[in-house]
Each structure stands twice: as C-alpha cells, then as structure tokens.
Amino acid sequence: MQTVIVDSHNEVLLYWIREYCKHKMPLVVVRIDRHHDMFSDCPRLPAKEGRNIFDYFDRMMPAIYEYARRRLNEGNFTCPAFHCGILGSLYHFDPRKEKIDAYGRVFREEFLDAPKTRIKSSYAGGKRIDLMEWDGASTRLRKQNGKLVPAPQSIGVRAFEVDLEESSFPVVIGFDLDGLCTTDERDLAKGAIEKRLDRVKSLLECISAPVLACIARSQTPRAYVPPDLVDELQDAALRLLEMKCQTHYALPIATTGSIREAFQAG
C-alpha cells in the first residue's frame, strides 16, 4: 500500500483519481477526520461528455493537480469526486465519537444511497460559470454553517466491517491529523489522544487490504492541527498504518508518550 503525505486535505483528489484510473472502478474512502469535508459549490472539472474518462484523467493529471490545489479547498474537494464517479461511498470517522457517518454504503458489488450532484450554472460579465452542488432532489440534505451538505447514515463499527468484508471495491484511507487533535483543544484531558489513536486502530483493523493511505497535515491555508504537534501526530498515524495496513512508507521514530509530553509542556 502506498502512503502519501499532503498538507491541505484537498490535495488528495489527485491521488484518488490515480487509484480510480488504476483500478477502473469507484473507490471506497474511509476518512479519519474531525470534519466531514462535504461542502460543495466547487468549480466543475474541465471534462467533456463522451470522453474515455480514464484516458482523459491520465492526460489531464497536471491540470487536475492545479485544479485541486487552487480551485478547491479543504472543505469541498469530496464533491467533485462523487460527481465524476471517482468515489462510490465515503465512511467518515471522527475518533471523538463512537459512530461512523456513511455517505453511501457498499453492498457487495454495488453502492447504495451515494450522494448525488448536479451542475448549477450562472452568468457573470457575460461568462458562464458552472459549479457542482449536491442534488437535493435525489439526496437528503441538511444545513450546516448556512450550507447544504448530504445527511449521512450513522452506523456502528460492526456494520462498517460487514460492508467492507462483502465488497471488492478498492479502499482508500484518508487520515487528516485534526482527527487526533485540533488547535482549539489545548485543554484536552490526559490520555485523550491515546484513546483516539486506539479508536482509529480498531477501525483500521476492519480494513483488510487498502490500496492507498493519504495523511493530511492541515497546516495551510490555516492550521487546524497544532504546528508544534503535527510531526508527532504524523508519526503516530504512520505507525498505525504500518502495523495494520502494511504500508511501505519509511517511518520516523516517535511515540504516543512524546505526544502526551508535548501536550503537558504546552
């Protein structure tokens, strides 16, 4: 399994597309994250109808990289992945909670209730602007921060495990380090990060053969993870991936004890 490290989480779109083209089928994403990253109103990918989508994406990788970095943000990059069929379902786990939020689910060889999108067109200065948004006609939406996002299905870890056991779709792990700690959590109780790591470990044990793991450091455009802890948290995340997912990444040395010490020192 390949492991990649990015800064802003929206940069993972490029790697999702690479795996989509490699396997020629939609991905199942398991997201470990404080935030759902399911906002929309993002610019449309420069794709045209009738193209061989895999060949098209292969040729457009440099443009897609710039699109992901400059035209998307850390809160809306999932929407174009669903829109283009790159994702079939997404399971979001915040280690602060017990349940998993499922945006679509895997049922053997198909996906059920995946959020649907549509194109919203407007004109400014005589120029047409196409944005992707969630389709409220076919997807149940809820309002958050004044925006509409898909309403997930809340499931337990056992249901998540069964979903993946019966599926042959490629599984990708997305690990945003703010799932372990955010900049507004300086008053965490002793051992809180270790408990979150244990919950992530239990979740990873349900995934038998992921094809890719992406770690987001979340330092720009603003820091969601404490800058003085981000390297320690990254090391802890890499260690979990190495133990449970057989990653080939060369790991630096770190311990959860050093994370706790950094917190106490802060």
Side-chain angles (χ1 to χ4, degrees):
M1 180 190 72
Q2 180 189 16
T3 300
V4 297
I5 299 173
V6 300
D7 186 5
S8 185
H9 208 170
N10 45 290
E11 296 174 25
V12 305
L13 179 63
L14 175 71
Y15 300 96
W16 287 354
I17 293 176
R18 284 179 175 172
E19 292 300 320
Y20 173 61
C21 292
K22 177 180 178 180
H23 296 278
K24 301 292 192 294
M25 63 177 67
L27 309 176
V28 176
V29 168
V30 179
R31 171 175 291 154
I32 302 157
D33 199 330
R34 175 74 182 268
H35 311 98
H36 56 66
D37 298 344
M38 293 291 288
F39 294 118
S40 60
D41 289 331
C42 41
R44 187 177 189 176
L45 271 167
K48 294 183 179 179
E49 299 296 331
R51 288 182 182 269
N52 181 312
I53 193 65
F54 301 114
D55 289 344
Y56 172 76
F57 278 142
D58 187 56
R59 291 195 302 270
M60 290 291 291
M61 283 300 179
I64 291 169
Y65 177 68
E66 290 302 312
Y67 167 82
R69 290 188 65 206
R70 302 185 186 281
R71 304 193 68 195
L72 301 178
N73 60 52
E74 68 276 18
N76 68 6
F77 64 94
T78 306
C79 181
F82 272 110
H83 180 78
C84 295
I86 298 160
L87 301 191
S89 64
L90 186 147
Y91 295 85
H92 170 224
F93 179 60
D94 180 351
R96 298 158 184 78
K97 303 175 182 178
E98 298 291 337
K99 295 289 188 176
I100 298 165
D101 285 340
Y103 296 90
R105 294 182 66 179
V106 183
F107 181 72
R108 296 179 181 172
E109 301 305 315
E110 61 181 329
F111 296 104
L112 300 178
D113 301 322
K116 302 295 190 297
T117 61
R118 65 184 180 187
I119 296 296
K120 176 178 66 177
S121 298
S122 61
Y123 291 85
K127 183 179 180 180
R128 176 172 167 167
I129 301 173
D130 289 336
L131 296 178
M132 285 172 278
E133 65 177 8
W134 301 113
D135 185 359
S138 55
T139 299
R140 187 166 63 92
L141 302 178
R142 62 187 176 94
K143 184 170 285 189
Q144 183 178 10
N145 299 334
K147 301 178 181 179
L148 291 174
V149 296
Q153 180 182 358
S154 181
I155 64 173
V157 173
R158 179 53 187 160
F160 166 75
E161 185 176 26
V162 170
D163 284 5
L164 295 193
E165 282 177 350
E166 297 182 349
S167 166
S168 60
F169 291 106
V171 177
V172 170
I173 298 168
F175 199 151
D176 192 326
L177 296 179
D178 70 14
L180 298 176
C181 178
T182 55
T183 52
D184 61 351
E185 292 183 313
R186 278 298 183 180
D187 57 348
L188 275 179
K190 183 178 180 180
I193 292 180
E194 286 83 351
K195 290 179 181 178
R196 292 172 186 177
L197 285 166
D198 286 341
R199 289 177 176 173
V200 173
K201 178 182 176 183
S202 296
L203 186 80
L204 293 178
E205 289 172 347
C206 300
I207 307 171
S208 61
V211 298
L212 173 71
C214 299
I215 294 177
R217 290 169 59 86
S218 293
Q219 297 299 290
T220 57
R222 70 181 182 89
Y224 291 92
V225 180
D228 58 322
L229 293 181
V230 66
D231 290 336
E232 300 283 359
L233 295 174
Q234 176 181 297
D235 292 347
L238 284 168
R239 182 172 295 102
L240 284 182
L241 293 170
E242 180 188 49
M243 288 189 300
K244 299 302 176 184
C245 304
Q246 299 180 352
T247 180
H248 301 298
Y249 192 91
L251 302 184
I253 297 174
T255 65
T256 54
S258 61
I259 295 173
R260 180 172 60 250
E261 291 164 6
F263 248 83
Q264 292 172 341

